[in-house]
Amino acid sequence: MTAERTTYTENVRLAERANAAYYQSSEPIMSDGAFDALLERIGTYEEAHPDQTVSHQLFSAPGGGLDGEGADVAHEVPMLSLDKVRTLEEIGKFVQLMISLGSPVTLEPKLDGLAISLEYRDGRLFRASTRGDGRTGEDITGRLAAISHLTGVPETVPGADVLEVRGELLMSKSDFSESNANRVASGKAAFANPRNAIAGTVRADTLGYDSSATFIAYDVPGSDEDADLFATHLQQLGFIPSNGLLDEVFYADDESVLDAVERFGFAREHDDYPYPTDGIVIKAVRAGIRPKLGATSRAPRWAMAYKYEAKKATTVLRDIVMDVGRTGNISFTGVFDPVHVDGSTIARATLHNFAFINERDIRVGDTVEVYKANDVIPRINRSFPELRDGTQQPYDPVRVSPKSGSPLDTGEVIWRSTDPADSLGSWVSYAVSRDCLDIEGIGGEIAAALVESELVGDIADLFSLTVEELTTLQLGEGRTLGGRNAAKIAGEIEAAKAQPLARVITALGIRRSGRTFGRRLAAHFQTMAALRSADVDELQQVEGVGPERARLFRDGLDRLAPVLDKLAAAGVNMGSQVADDQAARPLDGMTVVVTGAMTGALAALSRNEMNELIERAGGRASGSVSKKTSLLVCGEAGSSKWRKATELGVRIVTPEVFATMVESV
Ligand code: IVH
């Protein structure tokens, strides 16, 4: 079995589960948009591989056969679909073709409801049925009768003995708000959107509340009337024709069509349209060209549909997740039934902070509006309190860190965890990311393992990791990093020491200091030493830095002083001067102790002058030997400092050797 076929069969099973969840439990597991996209993928596969399909009812009448009601209705003339195009160019081509065949085009909304057929006999409504798979649908005459306020379905059609009218059964905005309010009042969970609502209404065994719906007519099988005449006749009979719902214009050039397509897209985006619609339908006006063009097995060739990419969608919020960021900030993320918006399917979006949620009274279980446009991070705009069923409780999060359980600082809009253990892993991941130290190979899992194993207690510790420590790093389920990865990461870490100062500053992860801030500080102060000695006033000289940010940054520098020392000692770039000088400063990052009398070239130097020499060479002079000591300059073997250095394995050199080490200074 090919991977493609496996995906196809999985898609079928998923869609069946979604269907069952939708109809039988009223707890949908995916949004309409996602479901439609899934069906489209299934349909595409089946068209390309008609011999490899599995048996399913996904394209049959919705809900058909669930409860034994709704006998099959054969559609003598198949109920066709519409060919969909995705680009404006394709619209242009279609319009040009129609015009070349002698027909202008009309524009109609692509209505988002249920395609149904109404059959009249002896001038009376005799039967209503769903489209089903196009050839056979389900009898919904009784279901239709159960809808209390039905607009656009005349009981009788004077003068027409036998008539079949096809169109879309839907809920207009006002139908939807009225019906949903009644539904909620009757104790049932609200429908998330008009499309769900009409489908659920037609399927329900018993409704138990007043509901409203509208029928928009778009087709009479066998009719050979031009669009305008056709619309007039339907209207005279008491129907609402789709033609004329947008405008009455006949378009005779592609440019004005594209203009109108754009205008309508704008209107529907701004909720400025009374019917649920996800696109626009473009049809040839002249009936005379239809027979020439004919139809495929799916769709007529004289009409086509263009679907707008939704930028907004409604869905049901299932959960609100709290997380701790690298700086200890608490974030709130909404988790919802997947929806298709602006070209991708999303199931999570930021809810920013508790105040945002609280002000809008967004509750778990609410129907919410999700918005995403042009790569903007998905947002949850609002909830619909009128759609609540009484089970949704105001959101009241615990005031403790979701990681460590330590109490949160909730004094400001952004809640914070003050427990560093909460954010160390996130801090390390952030510091090694591309915009900071750019140490490839350390992802979230490795960062967490480094913190967990206590090899890394702050970001400076990264630079003292050995290949061996990395090689044996425990990654969970008995896995280790392994020698090759370890060597690669060690190489990356070594290279990261030369990252520009701006990135080193950014990597500190101080609250409210990102990349731009890092670059501005680096440009302004040139060296870490200058930055570290800047007070709040000096920090405010930097573009875009106000008193609050300056204070936060100053606090951060103080808090991170030991980390900054360690970074410098490890040889991480501390600014252009230091970096330029580095080649000429042989003791950079070293702690040096001197003992005994100096000889040779250094014989004349006092201890103080020796210390100055060490500092000039980039080292740190110290009076006592410890495990932090890098070098002992020894004029007296056997002294207590010599013994300690020997014990600790500290490198020991004679004054003569030391003189050659620092001769460039
Ligand atoms: S005309 C033979 N007009 O979209 C004519 N259909 O995706 C076929 N639809 O199954 C239909 N709005 O249910 C037509 N203004 C409109 C429509 C429309 C929505 C539906 C129709 C069709 C589906 C195709």
Side-chain angles (χ1 to χ4, degrees):
M1 192 149 61
T2 63
E4 210 188 342
R5 174 129 205 280
T6 310
T7 309
Y8 156 75
T9 53
E10 281 168 4
N11 282 344
V12 170
R13 297 303 161 229
L14 177 62
E16 283 176 337
R17 270 196 292 127
N19 236 354
Y22 188 97
Y23 297 124
Q24 287 157 26
S25 75
S26 83
E27 277 276 306
I29 59 169
M30 69 173 71
S31 70
D32 280 0
F35 185 69
D36 285 350
L38 192 61
L39 285 194
E40 201 168 308
R41 283 203 292 280
I42 292 170
T44 308
Y45 181 89
E46 291 183 348
E47 263 174 46
H49 312 275
D51 52 331
Q52 295 187 18
T53 60
V54 295
S55 148
H56 61 76
Q57 305 288 311
L58 292 166
F59 296 118
S60 310
L66 271 184
D67 49 14
E69 259 205 64
D72 282 356
V73 176
H75 301 303
E76 242 169 80
V77 180
M79 284 182 78
L80 293 184
S81 185
L82 289 170
D83 273 338
K84 293 181 194 89
V85 298
R86 297 220 170 263
T87 64
L88 297 177
E89 290 75 54
E90 289 169 284
I91 298 181
K93 269 197 209 142
F94 174 82
V95 174
Q96 283 166 9
L97 176 64
M98 295 306 119
I99 291 168
S100 73
L101 293 171
S103 174
V105 300
T106 60
L107 299 183
E108 300 178 3
K110 184 170 183 328
L111 301 158
D112 202 6
L114 283 182
I116 66 165
S117 155
L118 301 178
E119 291 166 86
Y120 289 82
R121 301 252 172 104
D122 303 322
R124 296 195 69 81
L125 180 61
F126 153 75
R127 187 163 63 180
S129 57
T130 60
R131 172 173 181 271
D133 64 3
R135 290 169 194 283
T136 314
E138 181 193 351
D139 190 328
I140 55 159
T141 318
R143 304 285 165 98
L144 210 59
I147 298 174
S148 352
H149 309 283
L150 203 52
T151 310
V153 181
E155 256 314 300
T156 57
V157 284
D161 274 358
V162 178
L163 176 70
E164 181 181 356
V165 181
R166 296 170 174 179
E168 205 82 352
L169 183 67
L170 50 78
M171 282 197 190
S172 67
K173 262 192 206 155
S174 57
D175 289 336
F176 177 60
S177 54
E178 281 166 29
S179 305
N180 233 4
N182 292 338
R183 180 175 170 85
V184 170
S186 81
K188 293 199 165 96
F191 289 118
N193 56 47
R195 209 201 114 111
N196 278 4
I198 193 63
T201 300
V202 167
R203 256 150 230 151
D205 279 338
T206 47
L207 272 183
Y209 57 91
D210 270 16
S211 67
S212 315
T214 302
F215 175 73
I216 308 287
Y218 49 61
D219 187 27
V220 171
S223 161
D224 55 2
E225 291 174 325
D226 284 359
D228 49 343
L229 191 64
F230 173 73
T232 310
H233 279 165
L234 280 176
Q235 204 154 23
Q236 280 164 356
L237 293 173
F239 294 98
I240 306 170
S242 60
N243 188 271
L245 281 188
L246 260 191
D247 53 32
E248 315 258 344
V249 180
F250 286 4
Y251 294 90
D253 73 287
D254 50 337
E255 227 160 84
S256 46
V257 169
L258 296 180
D259 246 25
V261 168
E262 205 167 298
R263 273 202 310 278
F264 183 54
F266 185 85
R268 62 176 287 286
E269 195 62 48
H270 291 78
D271 273 345
D272 203 9
Y273 197 72
Y275 301 107
T277 154
D278 58 354
I280 198 163
V281 179
I282 304 158
K283 292 180 180 170
V285 171
R286 303 281 167 242
I289 71 168
R290 290 181 197 165
K292 278 185 250 160
L293 280 163
T296 66
S297 64
R298 275 172 48 91
R301 290 206 179 85
W302 45 267
M304 46 145 278
Y306 171 77
K307 262 185 139 175
Y308 296 101
E309 277 295 1
K311 298 203 189 299
K312 265 195 294 199
T314 51
T315 181
V316 178
L317 184 66
R318 297 294 175 194
D319 198 5
I320 297 176
V321 178
M322 269 168 91
D323 201 7
V324 195
R326 67 184 156 86
T327 56
N329 285 355
I330 304 294
S331 64
F332 294 81
T333 304
V335 181
F336 41 81
D337 294 337
V339 274
H340 192 77
V341 270
D342 200 36
S344 61
T345 301
I346 53 171
R348 300 167 74 88
T350 178
L351 280 165
H352 309 281
N353 49 63
F354 177 63
F356 180 92
I357 302 169
N358 201 32
E359 274 158 24
R360 289 162 184 76
D361 190 18
I362 294 171
R363 307 181 182 188
V364 172
D366 270 356
T367 297
V368 292
E369 181 179 273
V370 180
Y371 177 82
K372 176 167 171 284
N374 313 324
D375 282 346
V376 172
I377 302 163
R379 282 201 313 249
I380 294 178
N381 270 344
R382 54 165 300 198
S383 74
F384 299 87
E386 66 274 23
L387 301 185
R388 286 186 187 135
D389 63 3
T391 60
Q392 295 85 351
Q393 297 302 315
Y395 181 58
D396 187 19
V398 286
R399 266 69 168 170
V400 298
S401 154
K403 273 195 195 157
S404 64
S406 52
L408 299 178
D409 172 0
T410 59
E412 287 177 51
V413 171
I414 310 285
W415 292 2
R416 287 179 43 72
S417 161
T418 46
D419 188 342
D422 262 349
S423 50
L424 181 53
S426 334
W427 181 27
V428 171
S429 302
Y430 173 73
V432 302
S433 67
R434 272 188 60 190
D435 287 336
C436 296
L437 299 171
D438 195 15
I439 301 176
E440 218 180 294
I442 302 187
E445 190 193 12
I446 294 174
L450 288 169
V451 172
E452 201 69 59
S453 62
E454 295 185 6
L455 283 169
V456 168
D458 60 52
I459 61 166
D461 288 343
L462 289 168
F463 295 96
S464 53
L465 288 169
T466 64
V467 174
E468 165 150 35
E469 284 168 337
L470 285 167
T471 306
T472 55
L473 183 68
Q474 294 292 321
L475 290 178
E477 292 156 10
R479 288 174 304 131
T480 54
L481 198 51
R484 270 193 23 194
N485 289 332
K488 247 180 85 183
I489 291 176
E492 289 273 349
I493 291 175
E494 190 55 36
K497 290 180 181 172
Q499 287 290 6
L501 179 63
R503 287 166 167 262
V504 180
I505 297 171
T506 309
L508 298 175
I510 296 174
R511 197 140 69 96
R512 296 192 55 201
S513 71
R515 269 176 308 176
T516 313
F517 193 53
R519 274 202 308 278
R520 287 183 184 160
L521 288 174
H524 189 96
F525 290 103
Q526 297 289 314
T527 69
M528 188 67 91
L531 175 62
R532 289 181 69 176
S533 62
D535 62 20
V536 173
D537 288 341
E538 282 160 2
L539 286 168
Q540 282 187 68
Q541 313 283 305
V542 179
E543 188 194 343
V545 181
E548 172 68 355
R549 249 214 237 199
R551 190 185 60 74
L552 282 170
F553 197 76
R554 187 59 257 170
D555 289 352
L557 284 176
D558 292 339
R559 181 170 47 85
L560 295 172
V563 178
L564 287 162
D565 289 343
K566 275 164 73 181
L567 285 168
V572 174
N573 177 21
M574 289 289 131
S576 50
Q577 280 168 20
V578 177
D580 290 344
D581 288 345
Q582 220 162 29
R585 286 161 57 113
L587 301 182
D588 256 352
M590 293 173 81
T591 301
V592 182
V593 177
V594 180
T595 184
M598 295 299 101
T599 49
L602 305 176
L605 298 186
S606 69
R607 192 52 39 97
N608 190 38
E609 285 167 327
M610 270 302 282
N611 287 344
E612 281 172 358
L613 173 62
I614 291 166
E615 306 273 15
R616 263 204 319 283
R620 204 174 77 86
S622 168
S624 58
V625 175
S626 74
K627 57 180 196 289
K628 286 188 188 142
T629 308
S630 327
L631 188 70
L632 179 68
V633 185
C634 183
E636 190 193 359
S639 71
S640 64
K641 283 179 186 158
W642 175 87
R643 249 181 289 129
K644 186 112 189 253
T646 312
E647 263 167 45
L648 291 170
V650 171
R651 184 179 168 203
I652 303 171
V653 292
T654 61
E656 281 74 16
V657 172
F658 185 70
T660 62
M661 284 174 75
V662 296
E663 72 189 346
S664 61
V665 178

